[in-house]
Amino acid sequence: MAREQVNRIIQLLADGHFYSGEWLGEQLGVSRTSVSNYIKQAQQLGLDIHSVKGKGYKMAHAIELLDVAKLQQQSGQDEIVVFSVIDSTNQYLMDRLDQLSSGAACLAECQTAGRGRRGRKWVSPFGSHLYLSMFWQLEQGIEAAMGLSLAAGIATVNALTALGITGAKLKWPNDIYVNNKKLAGILVEMSAQAAGPCQLVIGLGLNINMPAQMATEIDQPWFDLKQIGAQDISRNTLAAHILTALRVTLELYQQHGFKPFLARWQELDAFINQPVNLIMGPKTISGIARGVDQQGALLVEQHGIIKPFIGGEISLRLAT
Ligand code: ATP
Ligand code: BTN
């Protein structure tokens, strides 16, 4: 009940105008004290809501809330669910693998337990960014899934480019960078038997307009679309473009693997021909990044010999 009231207040404030506590209370049929409590709960979700004496409450900037009908219409995809608050959109799909068909998607305004690789936290404030996940069943099995996070990164950059947002680069295996700062991350999770099809969830977090109070929680340089003046992009249009690009990409990947994406990767590779360190637990390997191979394995040159590297435990860093 309280969650519904908080959602209702967020919807009322979403246009970025001032509304008095009294008026908000009337709309919800609750007291001004309750309104003030709901506002606090909305702020805890990462929303930047100001209160000014005599004027009422106002969001720091207007937000376009996600709208399932718009997403379905613009992406041509029916199996989409949108949550206001969820633990993790990846987790939602991972919990329902046997009920989903390829292309099914889950989006949320806010994640309370958004995650990156190896259980790291993905900072997911309400209404500011995109958090979306898509389910896919890959008939070829787990071995064939190796280059999938790279292909998903290409799909995302292609969707951004189609909307006029340029300059995004890819860092192997799962990050999207602008100006050497992290704009977006991709997390591919899977459930697979040694043989047979593999069920995948591909999750994307992409920053649009980072609230100041959340930025302090990120322990590396980050980027958002606001830094290139693109914060007013329609979140529904951007999400729909990404969903479409992901679906088209996954279909192509299913048929031909990573090979058709190789040339585009080389164009978008953030670290190509640069000195890098590969961190693998306690071990670090230094060399020159030479792109990726036809499976999506990272190629690193050491002493004139180029070797492929693959695996979820590898972190790639520029050598400084
Ligand atoms: P790796 O190279 O191993 O992938 P990584 O630092 O990018 O290293 P990930 O697990 O891919 O690690 O991503 C999680 C990290 O991303 C967090 O530890 C944090 O530093 C950063 N991060 C968390 N939330 C955001 C966000 N909204 N925007 C940008 N970066 C974020
Ligand atoms: C990374 O950089 O390690 C990947 C970050 C992936 C974050 C997205 S947000 C939507 C989906 N749900 C999650 O819990 N994580 C992914």
Side-chain angles (χ1 to χ4, degrees), residues 88-90 111 114-117 122 174-175 182 185-186 204-205:
S88 149
T89 55
N90 263 35
Q111 296 183 119
R115 58 189 183 229
R117 295 205 307 159
W122 188 257
N174 68 320
D175 292 334
K182 190 159 168 173
I186 289 164
L204 170 79

Side-chain angles (χ1 to χ4, degrees), residues 115-125 129 131 171-175 177 181-187 205-207 210 217-223 279 312-317:
R115 58 189 183 229
R117 295 205 307 159
R118 280 171 272 159
R120 291 186 197 123
K121 180 179 168 179
W122 188 257
V123 173
S124 310
H129 306 320
Y131 320 111
K171 188 193 91 167
W172 187 94
N174 68 320
D175 292 334
Y177 275 58
K181 295 174 194 164
K182 190 159 168 173
L183 170 72
I186 289 164
L187 176 66
L206 187 152
N207 299 331
M210 186 75 76
E217 292 188 20
I218 306 177
D219 55 4
Q220 64 171 294
W222 54 269
F223 200 83
I279 304 158
E313 297 306 310
I314 305 176
S315 288
L316 178 66
R317 298 282 178 272

Side-chain angles (χ1 to χ4, degrees), residues 279-291:
I279 304 158
M280 300 183 267
K283 209 168 131 191
T284 297
I285 287 183
S286 301
I288 309 290
R290 295 294 186 208

Side-chain angles (χ1 to χ4, degrees), residues 87-100:
D87 50 356
S88 149
T89 55
N90 263 35
Q91 190 59 47
Y92 177 85
L93 295 182
M94 288 299 288
D95 286 343
R96 288 162 182 79
L97 292 176
D98 293 330
Q99 303 155 37
L100 302 167

